[in-house]
Amino acid sequence: YSVEAGLDPGFVIYDTSDQREAMKQALVECGYDNAQFTPASAAAAISDAKNALLDAEGYAAQAADFRTRVIARVYGAYERIMRAAHAVDFDDLLLLTAKLLRTKGAVLDELRRRFRYLLIDEYQDTNHAQFLIANAIAGDAGAAANIFVVGDPDQSIYGWRGADLRNILDFEKHHPSAKVVPLGQNFRSTGHIVSASAALIECNLRRKAKPLFTSLEPGQPVRLIRCLDGEHEAEEVVLRLRKLHE
């Protein structure tokens, strides 16, 4: 469906290195250098925009301050560079697919026939574009869709790269007939670790409550240490391992 998505049939997918070089070129074309905006920071902002289904034009339309207006210019230049090379990045694959399913009914119907059952793992780490793609193929809200997701909102750690926790927290809202099967048994950790972890996780404000338990022995009590930063923490771990070895 590359043609339907507005792509050349022979398009290529840029990896991180290719994307960084294209972003450097876009910054130069717009008159900015690394001291003002790094390729990484510009790429992150554009990635967030694409995950929110904003193309360069859409992002520019809502740019309200100096930084977002700069990113809008760079976004436009980056897109022109990518299209001239008949290239897309990973975020484009999601953005263009989501738009394709929203605007091309025949393509959506074909994919629904082809993928009758959907299984999505690590659902807490999906972003908005992935959410729209999955739900478009699964069917309208309230339909008897054959969609099965596995995930744990307490293990959501990728918000910094666009993961939207609401996808899993609101799953039953989008699929009212869904059956929820909580998996609270921990097969790896001892009792003290599980109970301490459960008490800490219960402090999270945005979560789905579930019992955590284990059939393993209680084990040694949990020990806490206060560290100044990540480097200090690493040093403490090494010292502890050395003492245990000795």
Side-chain angles (χ1 to χ4, degrees):
Y1 301 114
S2 57
V3 175
E4 289 86 345
L7 295 174
D8 185 284
F11 73 92
V12 296
I13 303 173
Y14 271 11
D15 60 16
T16 304
S17 177
D18 297 325
Q19 183 182 5
R20 183 169 55 250
E21 291 303 315
M23 194 64 67
K24 287 180 181 178
Q25 183 180 343
L27 286 166
V28 170
E29 287 188 8
C30 293
Y32 302 106
D33 56 35
N34 285 354
Q36 297 169 299
F37 294 92
T38 65
S41 64
I46 292 172
S47 177
D48 289 342
K50 290 183 179 182
N51 288 336
L53 301 186
L54 288 173
D55 56 18
E57 183 179 352
Y59 186 86
Q62 67 173 37
D65 54 35
F66 174 75
R67 185 178 186 279
T68 54
R69 286 194 290 269
V70 169
I71 295 298
R73 288 187 60 200
V74 176
Y75 191 172
Y78 175 72
E79 287 299 286
R80 289 192 296 273
I81 293 167
M82 296 284 283
R83 294 300 172 262
H86 302 295
V88 296
D89 57 28
F90 176 74
D91 293 314
D92 282 326
L93 296 178
L94 297 176
L95 170 64
L96 295 174
T97 299
K99 285 188 172 183
L100 181 66
L101 298 182
R102 189 168 56 188
T103 58
K104 304 292 184 179
V107 174
L108 177 58
D109 291 340
E110 169 60 25
L111 291 180
R112 283 179 175 175
R113 286 192 296 269
R114 185 182 303 179
F115 301 108
R116 295 176 53 210
Y117 302 94
L118 298 181
L119 169 59
I120 305 172
D121 196 13
E122 303 293 358
Y123 194 67
Q124 78 278 355
D125 294 330
T126 54
N127 59 34
H128 183 59
Q130 291 167 325
F131 166 82
L132 292 179
I133 292 170
N135 281 273
I137 297 175
D140 297 329
N146 292 314
I147 181 171
F148 186 112
V149 304
V150 182
D152 183 356
D154 292 329
Q155 296 186 47
S156 179
I157 61 173
Y158 291 112
W160 57 273
R161 70 178 189 191
D164 191 341
L165 191 59
R166 293 173 298 179
N167 292 353
I168 191 167
L169 292 178
D170 296 339
F171 185 79
E172 296 95 313
K173 181 190 299 184
H174 298 288
H175 302 281
S177 60
K179 179 180 179 181
V180 179
V181 182
L183 302 174
Q185 184 171 8
N186 187 305
F187 297 94
R188 300 174 180 175
S189 303
T190 54
H192 285 309
I193 293 176
V194 171
S195 60
S197 301
L200 183 62
I201 291 171
E202 286 175 0
C203 298
N204 288 356
L205 299 179
R206 302 170 64 200
R207 67 185 302 266
K208 289 179 177 291
K210 59 181 177 299
L212 298 180
F213 62 94
T214 181
S215 59
L216 300 179
E217 69 280 358
Q220 296 184 14
V222 174
R223 298 180 60 209
L224 300 178
I225 60 172
R226 186 185 297 273
C227 298
L228 300 176
D229 51 31
E231 186 173 339
H232 182 209
E233 180 182 4
E235 291 174 352
E236 290 293 332
V237 170
V238 171
L239 289 174
R240 176 62 179 166
L241 291 174
R242 182 176 293 167
K243 288 179 180 179
L244 289 173
H245 176 71
E246 293 172 351

